Amino acid sequence: MKSRLFECRIMHDRFVPKRHRFVYRVFMLCLDLDELELVAQSTRLLGINRGGLFGFKEKDFLPTRDPIHNPSAANIAPDATLPRVEGTHTLKQRVADFLTAQGESAKPSRVELIAMPRVAGYLFNPVSFYFCYDEFDHPCAAIAEVTNTFGEMKPFLLDRSCWGRGAFRLRVPKHFYVSPFSDVDVAFDFRLRPVGDQLALQIDDHADGQRTLTSLLTGRARPLNDRTLLWFFIKYPLLTLKVITGIHWHAFHLYLKKIPWFRKAARPADQRDLFHPHDSLNARSHS
């Protein structure tokens, strides 16, 4: 099967106003969304749409059936009202819905998702990546789904117009509160290379004409089976809890370095096109 695991190295390097760099190692799922039933039959340690030592639940990703907070015409087509139809909607169908809402005419023939699993029921994915392929198995779109520690989620689309030199490239204002040490109008610069046996994904921050932060995710493929999952459970214990703890630990270090920080509630109108808005974005809380 095409689905596999990736053993990864994540590097963050902040350049201004003071240098702060760290590296940590994780593993990630790479799931072909047509193979979820096959994956469920192939491993006992990874539960698909159920609990387990490791878990993957489609409902955790791309909630296109939920309202979009503060939609902007720049990111969401003005007439893009995603249908609310009774019944079960697969994650692959929601990916197709999202592409349609963004003006993409063709539905993807195949979709690969790169994300961390639930570990002992707990999930936190700072960013998940979708790579969409057409009927000829050529890359036709990519989605970077960014999640912050407030539980908000914002997808960024990289369509065919972003394709060049073997990667999707896009620089766009984030209009999203990711870190208290980066303002909401900082630009994301995505460089996403479709996945083979190697993983190479980069997201930079740009502000005031300069690159302020780079994040690089690299990795190599491993077979998706119980043996590898068991080894990764030993090698990377409580992975998702480690990630969320590390985020707060490094935020504390940035605070000690006196890096300027920004309150989430300071610019609610500039936080757009996101799902699951936090109470700080509620207009009543600013009245």
Side-chain angles (χ1 to χ4, degrees):
M1 60 185 179
K2 297 182 178 69
S3 299
R4 54 210 183 276
L5 301 170
F6 277 93
E7 191 166 16
C8 302
R9 176 182 182 268
I10 298 178
M11 185 274 292
H12 290 274
D13 197 353
R14 179 181 293 271
F15 308 116
V16 294
K18 295 181 181 180
R19 189 75 180 271
H20 185 77
R21 183 180 186 275
F22 61 92
V23 176
Y24 60 98
R25 297 187 180 275
V26 301
F27 78 91
M28 304 190 79
L29 303 171
C30 179
L31 296 176
D32 185 309
L33 296 184
D34 288 324
E35 294 184 341
L36 295 183
E37 185 175 346
L38 179 59
V39 172
Q41 295 170 355
S42 301
T43 174
R44 291 173 293 177
L45 296 183
L46 176 62
I48 301 297
N49 292 318
R50 61 176 178 82
L53 181 62
F54 297 109
F56 172 79
K57 296 185 178 182
E58 293 179 87
K59 69 177 184 179
D60 293 331
F61 299 89
L62 205 60
T64 56
R65 304 288 162 176
D66 296 342
I68 302 169
H69 174 78
N70 194 15
S72 66
N75 191 44
I76 304 294
D79 58 349
T81 302
L82 298 179
R84 292 178 175 273
V85 182
E86 296 300 324
T88 301
H89 298 277
T90 66
L91 179 54
K92 184 179 179 181
Q93 181 59 53
R94 296 201 302 276
V95 171
D97 287 347
F98 179 73
L99 296 181
T100 299
Q102 300 294 322
E104 293 293 305
S105 57
K107 290 189 176 182
S109 178
R110 188 169 70 87
V111 179
E112 285 188 323
L113 168 64
I114 299 168
M116 283 185 287
R118 287 176 174 263
V119 181
Y122 180 72
L123 176 68
F124 181 71
N125 267 296
V127 58
S128 304
F129 302 95
Y130 304 79
F131 288 95
C132 304
Y133 301 86
D134 62 20
E135 65 271 23
F136 304 106
D137 214 35
H138 296 153
C140 61
I143 302 168
E145 182 180 76
V146 183
T147 303
N148 63 24
T149 56
F150 293 88
E152 297 171 335
M153 182 182 294
K154 180 171 181 177
F156 294 84
L157 173 65
L158 291 77
D159 60 17
R160 292 180 191 268
S161 67
C162 303
W163 177 256
R165 298 184 179 181
F168 291 97
R169 292 291 307 271
L170 175 69
R171 185 181 296 189
V172 60
K174 63 182 183 180
H175 292 144
F176 187 52
Y177 190 88
V178 177
S179 164
F181 302 98
S182 296
D183 212 348
V184 297
D185 57 359
V186 167
F188 274 149
D189 187 0
F190 296 98
R191 184 182 302 174
L192 309 182
R193 191 174 299 279
V195 185
D197 291 331
Q198 302 289 327
L199 193 62
L201 309 173
Q202 183 172 342
I203 306 175
D204 295 340
D205 285 11
H206 288 259
D208 301 323
Q210 62 179 329
R211 186 173 66 159
T212 59
L213 172 70
T214 185
S215 302
L216 182 62
L217 171 64
T218 56
R220 54 181 179 169
R222 294 285 187 263
L224 175 49
N225 55 39
D226 283 336
R227 181 177 180 179
T228 311
L229 286 168
L230 183 59
W231 169 236
F232 282 174
F233 181 73
I234 297 170
K235 191 174 183 179
Y236 305 106
L238 300 178
L239 172 65
T240 48
L241 184 60
K242 174 185 175 182
V243 169
I244 192 69
T245 301
I247 288 172
H248 288 92
W249 175 250
H250 287 284
F252 177 64
H253 278 267
L254 292 173
Y255 174 78
L256 293 180
K257 290 182 177 182
K258 301 186 184 302
I259 305 296
W261 64 281
F262 306 88
R263 290 190 310 113
K264 177 169 173 51
R267 298 176 61 182
D270 293 324
Q271 299 173 54
R272 308 171 189 162
D273 309 308
L274 57 95
F275 296 101
H276 303 161
H278 184 258
D279 288 343
S280 61
L281 299 183
N282 190 324
R284 185 178 299 174
S285 66
H286 303 287
S287 59

